[in-house]
Amino acid sequence: MERKRGKNPRKSRKLSKEGSRPYESQEDVKIDKYNKIIADNAPLLIFVHRKKFIYVNKTAEDFSGYSCRELLKMNFWDFVHPEFQDLFKARGLKHLKGEKVPSYYEVKIIRKDGGERWIACGSKHLEDFRGGPAVLTSAIDVTDKKKAEEELKIQKNYFKSLFDNSPVAIALLDVDDRVLQINKSFHELFKYSFEEVKGKYIQDLIFPKNLREEMQAFSQKLLRGEIKKPDTVMKGKNGELIDVHISGGPISEEGKIIGVFAIYNDIRERKRAEIELKNSVCKLTEILSGTVAALSETVEKRDHFTAGHQRRVTQLAIAIGKEKNLTNDQLNILKIASALHDIGKIHVPAEILNKPVNLSEYEMALVRNHAQAGYEILKSVNFPGPVAKIVSQHHERMDGSGYPYGLKGKDIMIEARIIGVADVVEAMSSRRPYRSPYNIEIVLNEIEKNKGELYDPEIVEICIKLFENGFKFKEISVFDKDLIEKCSF
């Protein structure tokens, strides 16, 4: 009996839209639908190709700017940048054949609008996809990552160039003082090659023996700012001692200090210049001293009775100034002004200076003019301080009764107040053509009686204390180079 023809379930399977395979059931249809939704909405670019694209997801469409219809008409290499097209094509075709090729690589693509982007691709060979072998590729946009890498590379090259070509010697050290890297200037300064210093302790290379103990834990001291003598002496490979200035700072990685950079600035030229400058200053000082001494002696030779007066006033003035805690610069100015305080007497006739009797009012006026005359003589000389002004004020008095300006109290420069007291003490204790010298006790009583009225009280007290402690005038030149040190009593 012949069988009745009926529907065979196995032969009545429907084909999918793409015609690649029949669906097994309604459940299969649902699964394929869900898979398509997942693929289309995946954050990755997903596409399948043989030579032309045979599947692209929605993310790939949006990213490339091409529609699905446009992409399915294109070769898989068509939207790749020409710089990478040959490589991308060759690898894709080998992958299609099942040959072993790198499964991950980064390429630049050109979007439909002409914009360039970078993608990182991962590919897998498929034995059968819609009737034949294919290549499944997933990709992700890495443009920002590539830009960051390029910027980092540029910065790295920039800083490497700065490091290598810096005019100062630089060594990179770990936290234990071992050398990680050196630049060209370090090699040129200390004569060590990188191979000779790599991994070595910096102390063993360039520190003289006398500094090794002091510079233990050098990198840590550098970080804490504890290098006591940044201007110091280092040692080259050949044993040459080199004047350098040390500085530096931390090397950090992810917020952690992993080492330091140490900078050794060659200061030999600066040191030589400092020595030359010092020698020049010494020579100029000697010339100035000789000139001032000659002027001082010129005045004294016109007045035999006051010979040595300016020298002795200078000694006492410096002794007072030291007790008053004047600076070294002030003491040097005080020394010059004291030695020249009577320079204006060069305008006073010698017969008046040496007159053995009391002077007339007219003659006294000529003598009193010497303070102003001294200012006029010295004002155009470029002394290292207000010498002319001090000289002009040495006869001013605290109550305003002095001359030539009638200044009072603190309006009188401290140096002029000191010279004023020293001048009176020396003059009263020395012989004059019209009188014998006064006993030092009488002299000190005189200035004490007039302190606050004529003389600065503090300076008077210092002067009296000096003599009580044994101060004596010495036979010493005004411009003995150790005069200031020798005037300590």
Side-chain angles (χ1 to χ4, degrees):
M1 183 174 160
E2 189 178 309
R3 275 190 181 178
K4 204 173 184 179
R5 288 190 180 183
K7 292 181 180 180
N8 188 333
R10 282 184 267 181
K11 290 185 180 180
S12 63
R13 291 177 296 182
K14 296 179 180 179
L15 294 178
S16 65
K17 284 184 180 180
E18 292 83 359
S20 60
R21 66 176 180 81
Y23 290 126
E24 296 293 339
S25 65
Q26 289 297 319
E27 190 65 28
D28 289 337
V29 173
K30 288 181 181 179
I31 291 172
D32 273 7
K33 183 179 179 181
Y34 293 149
N35 286 341
K36 186 175 188 308
I37 291 171
I38 291 170
D40 280 345
N41 292 280
L44 300 174
L45 287 69
I46 301 174
F47 44 86
V48 181
H49 67 83
R50 289 191 177 88
K51 289 185 181 178
K52 293 186 179 298
F53 290 114
I54 53 178
Y55 170 78
V56 293
N57 71 345
K58 185 70 168 58
T59 305
E61 288 184 67
D62 295 341
F63 180 78
S64 68
Y66 293 101
S67 68
C68 177
R69 187 183 298 275
E70 289 173 315
L71 286 169
L72 293 177
K73 294 178 181 178
M74 294 169 62
N75 294 314
F76 69 86
W77 59 81
D78 285 344
F79 76 132
V80 176
H81 191 281
E83 182 182 345
F84 297 91
Q85 210 168 66
D86 290 343
L87 175 66
F88 193 71
K89 180 179 179 181
R91 285 183 176 179
L93 293 175
K94 284 183 178 181
H95 220 149
L96 186 62
K97 295 176 183 178
E99 297 180 17
K100 189 174 182 180
V101 292
S103 60
Y104 176 87
Y105 44 92
E106 295 177 353
V107 295
K108 190 190 296 183
I109 64 101
I110 302 177
R111 291 163 43 93
K112 185 177 180 179
D113 62 8
E116 296 181 357
R117 306 289 289 180
W118 282 88
I119 57 173
C121 305
S123 298
K124 181 176 176 60
H125 175 77
L126 301 177
E127 287 290 343
D128 180 23
F129 183 84
R130 296 181 182 174
V135 177
L136 168 65
T137 299
S138 61
I140 188 170
D141 183 6
V142 292
T143 305
D144 291 341
K145 169 179 166 288
K146 292 295 288 187
K147 284 182 179 178
E149 287 177 352
E150 284 298 316
E151 288 174 4
L152 185 62
K153 183 179 179 181
I154 290 170
Q155 287 186 9
K156 185 177 178 181
N157 290 336
Y158 174 72
F159 285 113
K160 184 177 186 303
S161 178
L162 283 179
F163 176 77
D164 287 340
N165 298 298
S166 172
V168 296
I170 306 174
L172 307 184
L173 313 174
D174 66 17
V175 292
D176 295 318
D177 298 344
R178 288 185 291 255
V179 178
L180 301 173
Q181 186 60 272
I182 61 172
N183 69 347
K184 293 176 185 176
S185 292
F186 187 98
H187 164 68
E188 291 168 358
L189 183 61
F190 296 111
K191 309 307 178 188
Y192 285 104
S193 67
F194 175 62
E195 291 71 23
E196 291 174 307
V197 301
K198 184 179 180 182
K200 303 286 181 62
Y201 290 101
I202 193 69
Q203 295 93 326
D204 297 338
L205 295 168
I206 63 172
F207 287 20
K209 289 183 179 179
N210 63 310
L211 287 181
R212 288 181 186 174
E213 185 174 346
E214 179 185 336
M215 291 293 193
Q216 287 297 319
F218 171 69
S219 59
Q220 300 305 310
K221 289 182 177 179
L222 193 62
L223 286 173
R224 294 193 296 266
E226 295 176 1
I227 303 297
K228 295 178 181 178
K229 297 177 181 177
D231 282 3
T232 187
V233 177
M234 295 285 107
K235 183 186 68 172
K237 179 181 177 181
N238 57 7
E240 178 189 9
L241 295 179
I242 304 167
D243 292 302
V244 298
H245 176 85
I246 301 175
S247 59
I251 302 172
S252 300
E253 187 175 90
E254 297 180 353
K256 181 181 178 182
I257 294 176
I258 60 172
V260 300
F261 61 91
I263 298 173
Y264 305 90
N265 201 344
D266 184 357
I267 58 172
R268 285 176 292 183
E269 285 299 323
R270 192 190 85 189
K271 286 289 185 181
R272 278 194 284 268
E274 286 175 356
I275 292 171
E276 289 175 5
L277 179 60
K278 185 176 179 180
N279 290 337
S280 296
V281 170
C282 287
K283 288 179 181 177
L284 288 173
T285 301
E286 288 176 6
I287 293 170
L288 176 63
S289 297
T291 303
V292 173
L295 288 171
S296 179
E297 289 176 6
T298 299
V299 175
E300 292 188 347
K301 285 180 179 179
R302 298 182 73 248
D303 183 359
H304 299 295
F305 287 97
T306 60
H309 168 68
Q310 295 188 124
R311 171 171 51 82
R312 290 189 291 272
V313 169
T314 302
Q315 291 178 31
L316 181 54
I318 290 174
I320 294 172
K322 292 181 73 173
E323 291 298 316
K324 183 81 169 124
N325 292 319
L326 297 188
T327 65
N328 283 335
D329 287 342
Q330 285 178 302
L331 289 173
N332 279 312
I333 297 304
L334 180 62
K335 178 177 72 171
I336 297 172
S338 299
L340 295 176
H341 75 278
D342 278 343
I343 188 68
K345 286 185 177 179
I346 202 167
H347 285 299
V348 180
E351 58 269 20
I352 293 178
L353 293 175
N354 295 299
K355 196 170 184 178
V357 295
N358 291 335
L359 302 180
S360 67
E361 283 296 321
Y362 171 74
E363 292 169 331
M364 283 300 299
L366 286 175
V367 173
R368 284 180 181 142
N369 189 54
H370 79 279
Q372 181 64 36
Y375 174 79
E376 296 298 330
I377 292 170
L378 300 174
K379 69 179 182 180
S380 60
V381 180
N382 190 22
F383 289 108
V387 171
K389 192 174 179 181
I390 296 168
V391 167
S392 74
Q393 294 181 8
H394 78 277
H395 275 292
E396 300 289 351
R397 296 295 178 250
M398 298 296 285
D399 62 359
S401 62
Y403 58 86
Y405 311 116
L407 301 177
K408 291 184 179 181
K410 300 298 182 182
D411 291 337
I412 307 168
M413 297 180 70
I414 182 63
E415 296 89 347
R417 281 179 267 152
I418 291 173
I419 295 174
V421 171
D423 187 31
V424 169
V425 170
E426 197 289 325
M428 290 184 68
S429 60
S430 298
R431 182 172 178 270
R432 289 293 181 266
Y434 48 86
R435 64 162 174 80
S436 299
Y438 291 105
N439 184 281
I440 191 62
E441 291 182 5
I442 296 174
V443 175
L444 298 179
N445 286 335
E446 174 66 20
I447 62 171
E448 184 172 31
K449 181 176 67 174
N450 290 290
K451 69 181 182 182
E453 184 177 347
L454 300 181
Y455 314 115
D456 185 310
E458 185 183 1
I459 293 172
V460 168
E461 292 299 328
I462 292 173
C463 183
I464 292 172
K465 187 177 178 181
L466 283 170
F467 279 97
E468 287 176 348
N469 290 337
F471 175 87
K472 292 184 182 300
F473 293 112
K474 299 178 180 179
E475 289 298 322
I476 179 173
S477 169
V478 170
F479 285 95
D480 186 304
K481 64 180 181 179
D482 298 321
L483 176 65
I484 292 175
E485 288 72 23
K486 291 177 180 178
C487 289
S488 296
F489 302 96

